[in-house]
Amino acid sequence: MRTTEDREEPARDGAGSPGALSRRGVLKGTAVTVGMAAAGAVTTQPVYAAEVPAGTGQSACATARMGGNAITMSVIDGALRWSVDHHGRTVVDTSVLGLELGDGTVLGSDVTVNRNQHGTARTTWNPVYGRNATVTDHYQEQRWNLRDTVSGTRFGVQIRAYRTGVALRYLLLDAGTATVAEELTTFAFPDDTTVYSARDEDAYLPVAPGSIPVTGTSTTDNGPLTDLPLTATLADGLIACVCESARLGFPRLMLGSTDGRPGTLSAFLMEHTARGTGPVEPAGTVTTPFATPWRAVVIGSTHAELVDNAELILNLAPPNALADTSWIKPGKVFRCELSTAAGLAGVDFAVARGLEYVEYDAGWYGPEFTTTDATEPIAAIDLPSVISYATSKGIGVFLYVNRLALTDADSLFGLYKGWGVAGIKLGFINDGTRTMTDQITDWARTAAKYRLLIDMHDDVRPFGYERTYPNWISLEGVRGNEQFPTATHNVTLPFARNIGGPMDYTVCYGQSRDKTTNTHQMAMAAVYYQPLNFLFWYDKPSKYANPANWPGLPWFNAVPTTWDESRTVAGSIGEYVAVARRSGDTWYLGAMTNETSRTLSIPLSFLGGGTYTATVYADGTPGAAPYQTPVVVSTRSVTAQSTLSVAMAPAGGQAVVLKPS
């Protein structure tokens, strides 16, 4: 990054207009370089169009713009503010920027702007796996270097505009240490905004921003708080999702309702772990220069567009840290019962059904909440025999480990690597504090050291780190499908939790406890982004001994978990969704509806030239309960000029394979 020393010159806003003279001392440009390097989260470096000092008295303004999105930071009466609009329509109205330090210093309440830098960057990169084979990282950036007028503390604010949304973060520029007590960022939404609030594994609740329900206990963070990702639907039809990215050395962000400001949500840095285990951390000390995590607002002019803009979170994350990723393989997983015979049968089932992995879940080394040694399987499991057999068949083995057995992850992961294990699924990983952020990222790095995939379960929230350590292939952080939620919940997730990153959402095909049809469950494999996809949850291989009874099996045999191209072709949060994804020359289309039956007309313009054979798995005549609705299979010839009529029963769906003829 090119920097120059500040000189005492007139301040300029983002458009280059003169402003008031600086009231404070000069700021050396070298501190900016150090600050950005310390952040470890710069994916590309913008080529700056200008680097000018920007002293300010009471007002200044800088805006980054891209693809109709604009994020503005301003100084109003000496205080920092920000706002967001999309093609001139307000997404976030004038809101607060700032940090409170442990000594009571409030950065942002009375500031001097010493430098304004602005520029653009455009690169492309190829993820190891993902929604698309190639990702474009194109943004315009503005960065202010500031000085707190009272204390003299130097800090900065960095804003970016992308075609897919906007983002901001803070930079602490003085060398040494700083204790961050609170983040003061607020999100003031326009009138009549609805937000989709959920905490831990709660169902989503659509409420006004000022009506987040009070949750928590005496041992957890308590108040009107909601987890991220947090989706907001605006009265004018826009939709936005607040996420975080590049959370390193910092606590997790929640958002809370604000007294007396019904449309505003305020940042809340977690002081407890999500379920109250571990020490309380009311403030965190960081080594400076330091960059906070990005606060991202993914924006869609339609609900479908929001889903396709989710890669913003990856673009903000640190790039891949692994030199060799050839061993990282996404795939489908079958959970085995806890015996040797079940493991061997599971491997055969995986081979027959086109799955890549089998897994032994909780209990394989004993009761998970009383057994702290995860190095010895129970007597019923001859683990070396199962791993050896699986390896001979080209199937990988995952092992579940409760956090209580993770006292020495380096030793444990090394042992598993020696056994020939492919991946680990960590249970009850209760995210939240700075300590837990450090622990989670350390587990991902340690797993990579031993070439193990890692899937983290329970109250963990995404922050783009699957780009940095792509062996961290999935995480939960959601009310899971194994709890048999409503169809409405299922068609909320693509626009909410799944925007933030991959989602482990076990597919429960053919379960009598499902509140949805079987085609609804099938469609999940295309609708959700889940590069590690657990299928046939709660099932045994023997259930599918007669495939004729289960017409959906060929769909699961064929559907991949990583994609060359993705298109969300229809959607409305909590109502319906349809996503088409391509692997090679074949497209897979999944559609789901809530408890209302509906028919979607889906143009197939995303197809290439020529004729395709569409194999359609559709809802039959609705049964007495949704899970009793039969799956009806049909085929037809289609082209890019065709329109597919996608009829869905209540709580139903449709799954379609589109293969060149």
Side-chain angles (χ1 to χ4, degrees), residues 330-344:
K332 295 169 284 189
V333 194
F334 178 74
R335 181 181 70 162
C336 304
E337 293 185 304
L338 301 179
S339 71
T340 303
L344 299 174

Side-chain angles (χ1 to χ4, degrees), residues 418-434:
W419 288 356
V421 170
I424 46 177
K425 174 181 170 183
L426 304 184
F428 293 91
I429 306 305
N430 297 327
D431 193 5
T433 61
R434 151 70 183 278

Side-chain angles (χ1 to χ4, degrees), residues 57-145:
Q58 292 297 305
S59 64
C61 181
T63 299
R65 304 179 188 277
M66 182 68 67
N69 293 321
I71 178 170
T72 298
M73 57 181 168
S74 54
V75 177
I76 301 174
D77 294 330
L80 281 172
R81 297 292 184 263
W82 72 294
S83 61
V84 181
D85 66 73
H86 177 78
H87 290 292
R89 297 149 67 188
T90 298
V91 178
V92 178
D93 213 338
T94 302
S95 300
V96 173
L97 288 173
L99 297 173
E100 182 177 332
L101 303 184
D103 62 3
T105 299
V106 176
L107 302 180
S109 62
D110 188 357
V111 301
T112 298
V113 184
N114 287 325
R115 168 176 289 158
N116 174 40
Q117 295 172 292
H118 58 97
T120 60
R122 182 185 177 96
T123 59
T124 58
W125 57 281
N126 304 111
V128 178
Y129 52 83
R131 303 170 180 88
N132 297 286
T134 301
V135 178
T136 299
D137 187 5
H138 186 200
Y139 61 86
Q140 185 181 92
E141 177 177 295
Q142 296 271 0
R143 193 169 74 225
W144 275 353
N145 297 334

